[in-house]
Amino acid sequence: MLAALTGLGLSAAAGLNAYIPMLVVGLIARYGDLVRLPAEFGWLADGRVLAGLGVLLAAEIVLDKVPVVDSVNDAVQTFVRPAAGGAVFAATDAAGRLDSSAFMQEHPWIGWGLGIAVALIVHAAKASVRPVANAGTMGAGAPVLSTAEDTAALVMSVLAIIAPVIGLIVVLAVGYAGFRLLRRRRRRRAARRSASGRSAPT
């Protein structure tokens, strides 16, 4: 159960930033004892993979803070973030079941599927909110939002491993905030359409 909560938190974080949860899992597995990756996921703790993820993270941090470029980056990340979510969910779920037997151990594709789905949902919410925020703040909101998202991804990743239940609470809080933002966006669109309809000549 805790392994699934860890995977859920990490895949949600991957929806915000694909590379932070992968780096967190890889670094902890390489230098700590909290995560013991099975052989099939040992590549996550490989030094060359970690170095490559560090370079990709640096590029993501820069690109995601530039208005318009951030939306292009989100389009590209539509494929990367869900894949990362699936990988970290499956890896940590497998790690959590090294010494036990469970249904998901016999069906590892479930972990991949859940991770991909969760990361995709979070990514879709992020990609929907960002253009609206950029338009409403003349681009000034991009670096602020990006920094907040990166921080949330890091906090969620660490909590998912050391305190999965608290990590789940954070994931739910972030999801609720995203839901509220999307509802507010829809209401504003509806209000604009209603206003333009009333002002149109008859």
Side-chain angles (χ1 to χ4, degrees), residues 55-131:
V55 171
L56 291 171
L57 175 59
E60 167 86 353
I61 288 174
V62 173
L63 294 174
D64 200 48
K65 290 174 175 56
V66 181
V68 180
V69 175
D70 61 347
S71 295
V72 175
N73 180 58
D74 279 340
V76 174
Q77 293 292 325
T78 298
F79 304 97
V80 179
R81 289 173 186 152
V88 290
F89 194 117
T92 51
D93 183 64
R97 292 181 285 97
L98 275 175
D99 302 318
S100 63
S101 175
F103 174 78
M104 288 181 69
Q105 192 169 7
E106 300 173 0
H107 304 84
W109 59 269
I110 295 177
W112 281 95
L114 286 173
I116 289 171
V118 170
L120 183 59
I121 290 170
V122 175
H123 163 74
K126 165 185 161 59
S128 298
V129 168
R130 184 62 70 85

Side-chain angles (χ1 to χ4, degrees), residues 189-201:
R189 279 185 175 177
R192 286 173 190 164
R193 287 173 185 165
S194 177
S196 62
R198 287 194 300 268
S199 62

Side-chain angles (χ1 to χ4, degrees), residues 1-38:
M1 178 65 179
L2 289 180
L5 291 181
T6 296
L8 177 65
L10 289 168
S11 56
L16 295 174
N17 187 307
Y19 311 113
I20 288 177
M22 296 185 75
L23 270 171
V24 168
V25 170
L27 288 170
I28 291 178
R30 184 178 177 88
Y31 299 108
D33 298 320
L34 288 176
V35 176
R36 293 187 299 117
L37 294 173

